[in-house]
Structure formats: C-alpha cells, structure tokens
Short mmCIF file of all heavy atoms in Angstrom, two decimals:
data_model
loop_
_atom_site.label_atom_id
_atom_site.label_comp_id
_atom_site.label_asym_id
_atom_site.label_seq_id
_atom_site.Cartn_x
_atom_site.Cartn_y
_atom_site.Cartn_z
N THR O 43 -5.72 40.79 39.83
CA THR O 43 -5.29 41.87 40.81
C THR O 43 -5.93 41.59 42.18
O THR O 43 -5.29 41.68 43.17
CB THR O 43 -5.89 43.25 40.29
OG1 THR O 43 -5.52 43.35 38.88
CG2 THR O 43 -5.22 44.40 41.04
N LEU O 44 -7.21 41.25 42.21
CA LEU O 44 -7.92 41.03 43.47
C LEU O 44 -8.90 39.85 43.19
O LEU O 44 -9.89 39.97 42.49
CB LEU O 44 -8.72 42.24 43.92
CG LEU O 44 -9.57 42.07 45.19
CD1 LEU O 44 -8.65 41.98 46.41
CD2 LEU O 44 -10.51 43.25 45.35
N ILE O 45 -8.60 38.68 43.74
CA ILE O 45 -9.37 37.47 43.49
C ILE O 45 -10.45 37.16 44.50
O ILE O 45 -11.36 36.35 44.35
CB ILE O 45 -8.41 36.27 43.33
CG1 ILE O 45 -9.12 35.15 42.63
CG2 ILE O 45 -7.95 35.79 44.81
CD1 ILE O 45 -8.27 33.94 42.30
N ARG O 46 -10.49 37.96 45.56
CA ARG O 46 -11.48 37.69 46.67
C ARG O 46 -12.95 37.67 46.19
O ARG O 46 -13.68 36.72 46.56
CB ARG O 46 -11.29 38.62 47.81
CG ARG O 46 -10.01 38.53 48.55
CD ARG O 46 -9.94 39.32 49.85
NE ARG O 46 -10.75 38.68 50.82
CZ ARG O 46 -11.98 39.10 51.25
NH1 ARG O 46 -12.47 40.24 50.67
NH2 ARG O 46 -12.59 38.44 52.21
N PRO O 47 -13.43 38.62 45.38
CA PRO O 47 -14.79 38.47 44.90
C PRO O 47 -15.03 37.19 44.09
O PRO O 47 -16.13 36.63 44.24
CB PRO O 47 -14.93 39.72 44.03
CG PRO O 47 -14.00 40.67 44.52
CD PRO O 47 -12.81 39.84 44.90
N ALA O 48 -14.09 36.79 43.26
CA ALA O 48 -14.33 35.52 42.44
C ALA O 48 -14.17 34.34 43.38
O ALA O 48 -14.87 33.30 43.18
CB ALA O 48 -13.27 35.54 41.33
N MET O 49 -13.26 34.33 44.36
CA MET O 49 -12.99 33.16 45.15
C MET O 49 -14.04 32.96 46.31
O MET O 49 -14.46 31.87 46.58
CB MET O 49 -11.52 33.26 45.81
CG MET O 49 -11.18 32.04 46.67
SD MET O 49 -9.50 32.29 47.42
CE MET O 49 -8.50 32.07 46.03
N PHE O 50 -14.40 34.09 46.95
CA PHE O 50 -15.28 34.02 48.13
C PHE O 50 -16.60 34.66 47.89
O PHE O 50 -17.43 34.62 48.83
CB PHE O 50 -14.57 34.67 49.34
CG PHE O 50 -13.27 34.09 49.74
CD1 PHE O 50 -12.10 34.81 49.71
CD2 PHE O 50 -13.18 32.72 50.12
CE1 PHE O 50 -10.87 34.28 50.12
CE2 PHE O 50 -11.99 32.20 50.54
CZ PHE O 50 -10.83 32.98 50.51
N GLY O 51 -16.85 35.25 46.75
CA GLY O 51 -18.02 36.05 46.60
C GLY O 51 -17.99 37.33 47.46
O GLY O 51 -19.02 37.78 47.88
N SER O 52 -16.79 37.78 47.76
CA SER O 52 -16.62 38.89 48.73
C SER O 52 -17.11 40.25 48.12
O SER O 52 -16.96 40.55 47.02
CB SER O 52 -15.14 39.02 49.12
OG SER O 52 -14.68 37.85 49.66
N TYR O 53 -17.65 41.02 49.04
CA TYR O 53 -18.05 42.40 48.71
C TYR O 53 -16.89 43.33 48.97
O TYR O 53 -16.39 43.33 50.08
CB TYR O 53 -19.31 42.79 49.54
CG TYR O 53 -19.80 44.18 49.36
CD1 TYR O 53 -20.93 44.33 48.48
CD2 TYR O 53 -19.23 45.30 49.89
CE1 TYR O 53 -21.46 45.63 48.24
CE2 TYR O 53 -19.65 46.56 49.71
CZ TYR O 53 -20.79 46.69 48.89
OH TYR O 53 -21.29 47.97 48.66
N HIS O 54 -16.57 44.16 47.99
CA HIS O 54 -15.65 45.25 48.19
C HIS O 54 -16.27 46.51 47.75
O HIS O 54 -16.85 46.53 46.64
CB HIS O 54 -14.38 45.02 47.43
CG HIS O 54 -13.47 43.99 47.98
ND1 HIS O 54 -12.36 44.32 48.81
CD2 HIS O 54 -13.54 42.62 47.97
CE1 HIS O 54 -11.79 43.19 49.20
NE2 HIS O 54 -12.44 42.14 48.68
N PRO O 55 -16.32 47.61 48.55
CA PRO O 55 -16.90 48.94 48.07
C PRO O 55 -16.15 49.45 46.85
O PRO O 55 -14.95 49.19 46.71
CB PRO O 55 -16.75 49.79 49.20
CG PRO O 55 -15.62 49.21 50.08
CD PRO O 55 -15.69 47.70 49.85
N VAL O 56 -16.93 50.03 46.01
CA VAL O 56 -16.32 50.63 44.75
C VAL O 56 -16.74 52.14 44.72
O VAL O 56 -17.93 52.52 45.00
CB VAL O 56 -16.90 50.01 43.48
CG1 VAL O 56 -16.41 50.63 42.28
CG2 VAL O 56 -16.45 48.50 43.54
N LEU O 57 -15.79 53.04 44.46
CA LEU O 57 -16.01 54.47 44.49
C LEU O 57 -15.38 55.10 43.25
O LEU O 57 -14.24 54.80 42.93
CB LEU O 57 -15.43 55.10 45.75
CG LEU O 57 -15.48 56.61 45.88
CD1 LEU O 57 -16.92 57.08 46.19
CD2 LEU O 57 -14.54 57.12 46.99
N ASN O 58 -16.14 56.01 42.59
CA ASN O 58 -15.53 56.75 41.50
C ASN O 58 -14.82 57.96 42.06
O ASN O 58 -15.50 58.99 42.52
CB ASN O 58 -16.74 57.25 40.56
CG ASN O 58 -16.16 57.95 39.28
OD1 ASN O 58 -14.99 58.38 39.27
ND2 ASN O 58 -17.04 58.07 38.31
N VAL O 59 -13.52 57.90 42.23
CA VAL O 59 -12.79 58.98 42.88
C VAL O 59 -12.63 60.20 41.93
O VAL O 59 -12.32 61.28 42.42
CB VAL O 59 -11.43 58.45 43.37
CG1 VAL O 59 -11.59 57.43 44.43
CG2 VAL O 59 -10.48 57.96 42.28
N SER O 60 -12.78 59.96 40.65
CA SER O 60 -12.68 61.11 39.72
C SER O 60 -13.86 62.02 39.74
O SER O 60 -13.72 63.25 39.52
CB SER O 60 -12.49 60.61 38.27
OG SER O 60 -11.26 59.85 38.15
N ALA O 61 -15.02 61.43 40.05
CA ALA O 61 -16.29 62.25 40.08
C ALA O 61 -17.22 61.68 41.10
O ALA O 61 -18.28 61.16 40.72
CB ALA O 61 -16.88 62.29 38.65
N PRO O 62 -16.92 61.74 42.31
CA PRO O 62 -17.70 61.14 43.42
C PRO O 62 -19.07 61.80 43.53
O PRO O 62 -20.02 61.17 44.13
CB PRO O 62 -16.90 61.33 44.71
CG PRO O 62 -16.03 62.50 44.42
CD PRO O 62 -15.70 62.41 42.98
N ASP O 63 -19.27 63.07 42.99
CA ASP O 63 -20.50 63.71 43.22
C ASP O 63 -21.48 63.58 42.04
O ASP O 63 -22.59 64.20 42.06
CB ASP O 63 -20.25 65.24 43.41
CG ASP O 63 -19.45 65.53 44.66
OD1 ASP O 63 -19.67 64.77 45.68
OD2 ASP O 63 -18.68 66.43 44.68
N ARG O 64 -21.13 62.82 41.03
CA ARG O 64 -22.12 62.45 39.95
C ARG O 64 -23.24 61.67 40.50
O ARG O 64 -23.10 60.96 41.56
CB ARG O 64 -21.41 61.78 38.85
CG ARG O 64 -20.51 62.54 37.91
CD ARG O 64 -20.22 61.73 36.63
NE ARG O 64 -18.97 62.36 36.05
CZ ARG O 64 -17.92 61.61 35.62
NH1 ARG O 64 -17.99 60.29 35.76
NH2 ARG O 64 -16.94 62.16 35.01
N ASP O 65 -24.35 61.71 39.81
CA ASP O 65 -25.46 60.92 40.23
C ASP O 65 -25.13 59.42 40.15
O ASP O 65 -24.50 58.98 39.23
CB ASP O 65 -26.68 61.14 39.34
CG ASP O 65 -27.30 62.53 39.55
OD1 ASP O 65 -27.06 63.17 40.64
OD2 ASP O 65 -27.95 63.06 38.62
N PRO O 66 -25.46 58.69 41.21
CA PRO O 66 -25.17 57.24 41.24
C PRO O 66 -26.01 56.52 40.17
O PRO O 66 -27.10 56.87 39.87
CB PRO O 66 -25.55 56.83 42.66
CG PRO O 66 -26.51 57.85 43.08
CD PRO O 66 -26.16 59.11 42.44
N HIS O 67 -25.39 55.52 39.63
CA HIS O 67 -25.98 54.74 38.59
C HIS O 67 -25.72 53.23 38.80
O HIS O 67 -24.53 52.94 39.14
CB HIS O 67 -25.52 55.14 37.23
CG HIS O 67 -26.23 54.54 36.06
ND1 HIS O 67 -27.51 54.79 35.64
CD2 HIS O 67 -25.87 53.56 35.21
CE1 HIS O 67 -27.84 54.08 34.60
NE2 HIS O 67 -26.87 53.29 34.31
N PRO O 68 -26.66 52.29 38.72
CA PRO O 68 -26.31 50.93 38.97
C PRO O 68 -25.50 50.39 37.81
O PRO O 68 -25.86 50.34 36.59
CB PRO O 68 -27.72 50.28 38.98
CG PRO O 68 -28.64 51.18 38.27
CD PRO O 68 -28.10 52.56 38.45
N VAL O 69 -24.27 49.83 38.18
CA VAL O 69 -23.35 49.35 37.19
C VAL O 69 -22.80 48.03 37.61
O VAL O 69 -22.78 47.70 38.77
CB VAL O 69 -22.25 50.39 36.95
CG1 VAL O 69 -22.71 51.66 36.35
CG2 VAL O 69 -21.44 50.65 38.26
N THR O 70 -22.34 47.22 36.64
CA THR O 70 -21.55 46.07 36.87
C THR O 70 -20.15 46.44 36.52
O THR O 70 -19.81 46.85 35.39
CB THR O 70 -22.04 44.92 36.06
OG1 THR O 70 -23.31 44.54 36.47
CG2 THR O 70 -21.11 43.68 36.16
N VAL O 71 -19.17 46.24 37.49
CA VAL O 71 -17.84 46.58 37.27
C VAL O 71 -17.01 45.31 37.14
O VAL O 71 -17.01 44.45 38.01
CB VAL O 71 -17.30 47.44 38.45
CG1 VAL O 71 -15.83 47.83 38.23
CG2 VAL O 71 -18.20 48.63 38.66
N GLY O 72 -16.32 45.17 35.96
CA GLY O 72 -15.53 43.94 35.81
C GLY O 72 -14.19 44.27 35.07
O GLY O 72 -14.05 45.37 34.54
N GLY O 73 -13.32 43.30 35.07
CA GLY O 73 -12.03 43.53 34.46
C GLY O 73 -11.88 42.84 33.12
O GLY O 73 -12.78 42.38 32.50
N PRO O 74 -10.61 42.76 32.56
CA PRO O 74 -10.34 42.23 31.22
C PRO O 74 -10.10 40.73 31.11
O PRO O 74 -9.73 40.30 30.04
CB PRO O 74 -9.14 43.05 30.84
CG PRO O 74 -8.39 43.20 32.18
CD PRO O 74 -9.40 43.39 33.23
N VAL O 75 -10.29 40.03 32.18
CA VAL O 75 -9.97 38.55 32.14
C VAL O 75 -11.24 37.80 31.55
O VAL O 75 -12.37 38.20 31.82
CB VAL O 75 -9.70 37.99 33.57
CG1 VAL O 75 -9.79 36.48 33.62
CG2 VAL O 75 -8.33 38.49 34.01
#
C-alpha cells in the first residue's frame, strides 16, 4: 500500500482516528506482508 518506509526508511505520522484521546502507548505498527 505504501512502500516509502521500507524503501527509504521514511517517517510517516500515525494517528488512531477512532480514539485519538486514549492514552498514548509505544507501539510497532505493521502490515500483513
């Protein structure tokens, strides 16, 4: 879907739009590949 992080090590901001006011927690976000 978006190869830039894998290709360039690019940073893209990530936001939980369903619950933006929950307490932040350090997570690793990855896909099904």
Side-chain angles (χ1 to χ4, degrees):
T43 315
L44 178 70
I45 201 172
R46 294 190 72 255
M49 180 181 288
F50 300 119
S52 302
Y53 180 98
H54 285 262
V56 177
L57 175 73
N58 185 343
V59 298
S60 295
D63 296 327
R64 284 192 201 134
D65 290 337
H67 186 74
V69 296
T70 293
V71 181
V75 166

